Amino acid sequence: MIKILSLSLTAILFLAASSTPSNQRVRVPVSQEIPKAATVEIVLVNAPGINDEGSKWEITYEFRIINQAAEWQAWKQGKFKAGSGERVGELIKEGTVKETLRSPANRKVVLKIPFSPKILERLRNQPRERIKTTPGQITPEEIKLLKEQETEFQVFLFYPVINIYDAKLKKNFIIPASRTWAFEEYPQARFEMTVEINDDGTYRVKSSWPPKTRASN
């Protein structure tokens, strides 16, 4: 199931009605220079047969983009539920990578995903800060502006299927590991994932947290 990282309009309205000071402005940590491409790094940390000659892995993926308004609608329609095979957003790139695992160098896959001029324009047009509202006193005009702003904030969607054959366990692992990454939280468009298979055949997938940024006044 995809973890929703971006803020929907509902979440924004909830925050507006909370105890947040009215003079606090929510900054969007988008860098001045828009990245020309996304970078996704996937590392196989460990597996019982990682050093066996017959062990291998294959990653098939799609990298997409969607605005927050459309993302919220897709979420309400159940398109992010576990087991849903539906893909949402506009496709930027898809591909497949295959490697044997005996060589340590093959246990890290780095995907470079260039942005087209159209995608760069969408990222460039993302607001640098969210609409400022007064708690408990949000106006119809502010609601309208918040709705408009949701169409401008961008979210990346990563749909990988990681297929690992462990020669020691003599077992094939098919691991869907879909993720969403809000551009405001990852302004450099750099993402990391790790995969680990345990001796008992269980596995886990982890993703990097957003880089810490300090709001500027």
Side-chain angles (χ1 to χ4, degrees), residues 140-194:
E141 179 63 22
E142 288 172 334
I143 292 176
K144 178 183 177 182
L145 291 174
L146 286 169
K147 288 182 177 180
E148 291 176 354
Q149 198 175 67
E150 271 204 329
T151 66
E152 298 172 331
F153 277 87
Q154 306 299 321
V155 180
F156 298 115
L157 304 105
F158 186 52
Y159 292 96
V161 176
I162 305 170
N163 190 338
I164 302 173
Y165 176 72
D166 189 292
K168 183 176 181 179
L169 296 179
K170 294 181 172 57
K171 184 176 180 179
N172 203 59
F173 296 85
I174 299 178
I175 307 172
S178 301
R179 295 292 187 272
T180 64
W181 293 307
F183 181 49
E184 63 179 309
E185 296 179 327
Y186 295 85
Q188 301 303 320
R190 296 185 63 88
F191 316 104
E192 298 175 0
M193 298 177 65
T194 60

Side-chain angles (χ1 to χ4, degrees), residues 38-42 63 109-113 158 181 189 191 193:
T39 302
V40 182
E41 180 180 293
I42 306 173
F63 193 86
V109 171
V110 179
L111 305 174
K112 289 289 187 179
I113 302 163
F158 186 52
W181 293 307
F191 316 104
M193 298 177 65

Side-chain angles (χ1 to χ4, degrees), residues 61-64 90-95 111-114:
Y61 68 91
E62 291 183 9
F63 193 86
R64 294 172 172 264
E90 179 180 338
L91 180 65
I92 297 178
K93 186 179 179 180
E94 60 184 336
L111 305 174
K112 289 289 187 179
I113 302 163

Side-chain angles (χ1 to χ4, degrees), residues 46-48 168-169 197-202:
N46 197 19
K168 183 176 181 179
L169 296 179
I197 298 177
N198 302 314
D199 291 337
D200 61 2
T202 59

Side-chain angles (χ1 to χ4, degrees), residues 11-147:
I12 295 172
L13 297 182
F14 174 81
L15 291 173
S18 68
S19 58
T20 304
S22 60
N23 62 349
Q24 180 174 330
R25 187 179 296 270
V26 181
R27 293 284 181 176
V28 179
V30 178
S31 60
Q32 292 287 346
E33 185 176 351
I34 302 299
K36 300 295 190 298
T39 302
V40 182
E41 180 180 293
I42 306 173
V43 178
L44 180 61
V45 177
N46 197 19
I50 198 168
N51 294 312
D52 289 13
E53 186 173 354
S55 295
K56 56 187 177 180
W57 69 338
E58 175 180 325
I59 302 172
T60 301
Y61 68 91
E62 291 183 9
F63 193 86
R64 294 172 172 264
I65 191 170
I66 194 172
N67 67 56
Q68 285 188 344
E71 179 201 28
W72 176 234
Q73 288 299 318
W75 183 84
K76 290 194 295 184
Q77 294 166 6
K79 295 181 180 180
F80 290 126
K81 288 183 178 179
S84 173
E86 190 165 358
R87 307 288 172 88
V88 301
E90 179 180 338
L91 180 65
I92 297 178
K93 186 179 179 180
E94 60 184 336
T96 300
V97 179
K98 300 179 181 180
E99 297 286 359
T100 57
L101 293 174
R102 190 169 186 179
S103 170
N106 292 345
R107 300 168 193 170
K108 179 169 74 173
V109 171
V110 179
L111 305 174
K112 289 289 187 179
I113 302 163
F115 297 141
S116 67
K118 178 182 176 182
I119 298 300
L120 288 172
E121 187 67 16
R122 287 174 63 170
L123 300 179
R124 193 173 294 113
N125 289 337
Q126 176 168 298
R128 290 192 53 78
E129 59 185 37
R130 292 190 179 273
I131 299 297
K132 181 180 178 182
T133 59
T134 302
Q137 300 179 26
I138 190 167
T139 66
E141 179 63 22
E142 288 172 334
I143 292 176
K144 178 183 177 182
L145 291 174
L146 286 169
K147 288 182 177 180

